[in-house]
Amino acid sequence: MAEEKTNVMRLLDQKKVPYTPHSYDISDGALDGVTAAARLGIPPETCFKTLVTVGASKKNHVFVIPVEKELDLKAAAKAAGEKSIEMLKQAQLFPLTGYIHGGCSPIGMKKRLPTLIDASAESLPEMTVSAGKIGRQVTLSPQDLASFVGAAFAEVSKN
């Protein structure tokens, strides 16, 4: 039986963006990105998480960084042209993006937000991001993702 497509997959299909869908078991409640990468059998440096922030200007920004790294708030603020930046409160994520924590994708948010992808992705042949549901991922080229969401690449993560 074919797995149900997520909205992310339908959007990519509409624009004829090539991708590979993946799903993994979440029944044990392990929802972190490093576990997702391991369960998919992909290197963690090619698996990315989507973080939504709010800047000093009150504008929201999206950052796509490797699952094993943290957002460098100073570098992120500088790259986004903000004085400072902080993580969006979890309760605000769904109303803003349409996604829940653990299933947030840079693709298909309720409204397009300024997006920066960590520079480490730029030279990768492919990267994996959330397909918009916990336990679902898509693998695509970093350039296709950047083009689709209107993102730029910048050094925004730290170990």
Side-chain angles (χ1 to χ4, degrees):
M1 182 167 116
E3 287 197 55
E4 182 183 325
K5 287 193 183 244
T6 66
N7 284 338
V8 167
M9 294 172 195
R10 283 190 278 278
L11 289 168
L12 291 171
D13 287 344
Q14 280 175 5
K15 298 291 184 186
K16 299 188 176 9
V17 176
Y19 68 91
T20 304
H22 307 281
S23 62
Y24 59 95
D25 181 28
I26 56 167
S27 61
D28 63 358
L31 304 178
D32 65 282
V34 175
T35 300
R39 290 188 178 166
L40 294 173
I42 61 174
E45 62 273 11
T46 68
C47 192
F48 287 70
K49 58 189 170 185
T50 304
L51 304 174
V52 183
T53 63
V54 61
S57 69
K58 302 294 182 218
K59 288 184 182 161
N60 296 104
H61 301 273
V62 176
F63 295 92
V64 182
I65 67 170
V67 294
E68 59 189 356
K69 295 196 173 185
E70 288 180 39
L71 185 63
D72 181 332
L73 294 173
K74 282 190 175 171
K78 184 175 180 184
E82 291 279 359
K83 193 178 275 188
S84 64
I85 222 159
E86 62 184 45
M87 295 301 299
L88 187 72
K89 291 185 180 12
Q90 196 168 323
Q92 297 170 313
L93 185 64
F94 183 77
L96 178 68
T97 67
Y99 291 123
I100 62 168
H101 182 75
C104 189
S105 177
I107 300 164
M109 291 189 178
K110 281 184 175 179
K111 69 182 213 181
R112 189 175 237 187
L113 299 172
T115 302
L116 290 166
I117 301 170
D118 191 68
S120 66
E122 197 167 9
S123 62
L124 295 173
E126 57 185 26
M127 65 188 293
T128 301
V129 297
S130 174
K133 288 191 176 176
I134 297 172
R136 305 296 300 276
Q137 302 275 310
V138 291
T139 299
L140 70 168
S141 105
Q143 288 70 29
D144 283 348
L145 176 62
S147 174
F148 194 88
V149 300
F153 294 93
E155 298 274 348
V156 293
S157 69
K158 63 182 179 180
N159 287 332

